[in-house]
Amino acid sequence: MYPAELVRPMREDLTKVGFEELHTPEAVDAALAKEGTTLVVVNSVCGCAAANARPGARMSLQNAKRPDHIVTVFAGVDKEAVDAARGYMVPFPPSSPSMALFKDGELVHMLERHHIEGRPAELIAENLVDAYNEFC
């Protein structure tokens, strides 16, 4: 587990634009039980989260259509919450960072680490915006 002081700025990278942090499996279940669309970002300390995933997620929110709810769990910090979120992402294998869009609790779009790593934030945002335009 990473120290709270180390991950605080990485958490704030998303919470400052409105992402709700989920720290427990119960919070994950409640978030995904809500009607509408929910973006779940599995945050992490890796370089591709800092350079690509978090900026891409933030940029994607500039779209006219966007998810009703935006939430995040932090890999390596909130293990039980991350495990619960990943349980909703089956059949995709666990990866972090990753992003999943749900509609009425059903997984409708997934970005795994291999879709994020090495790709510019703008391309990640564009991928998410395409999903928002289709499902939101």
Side-chain angles (χ1 to χ4, degrees), residues 7-79:
V7 300
R8 183 173 297 113
M10 297 171 211
R11 288 181 184 271
E12 290 172 352
D13 221 5
L14 294 177
T15 59
K16 71 182 178 187
V17 295
F19 279 83
E20 175 189 358
E21 288 185 301
L22 307 177
H23 300 286
T24 66
E26 296 79 16
V28 170
D29 292 341
L32 292 176
K34 292 180 181 176
E35 287 187 27
T37 51
T38 304
L39 177 66
V40 178
V41 173
V42 179
N43 200 352
S44 75
V45 298
C46 74
C48 64
N52 313 89
R54 291 190 300 265
R58 288 192 319 266
M59 280 186 239
S60 75
L61 300 176
Q62 302 308 308
N63 192 47
K65 288 186 177 181
R66 53 178 279 176
D68 299 309
H69 316 283
I70 52 175
V71 300
T72 182
V73 293
F74 207 110
V77 178
D78 298 316
K79 181 181 178 350

Side-chain angles (χ1 to χ4, degrees), residues 75-94:
V77 178
D78 298 316
K79 181 181 178 350
E80 294 82 12
V82 171
D83 290 346
R86 287 177 172 159
Y88 286 94
M89 297 173 191
V90 170
F92 296 95

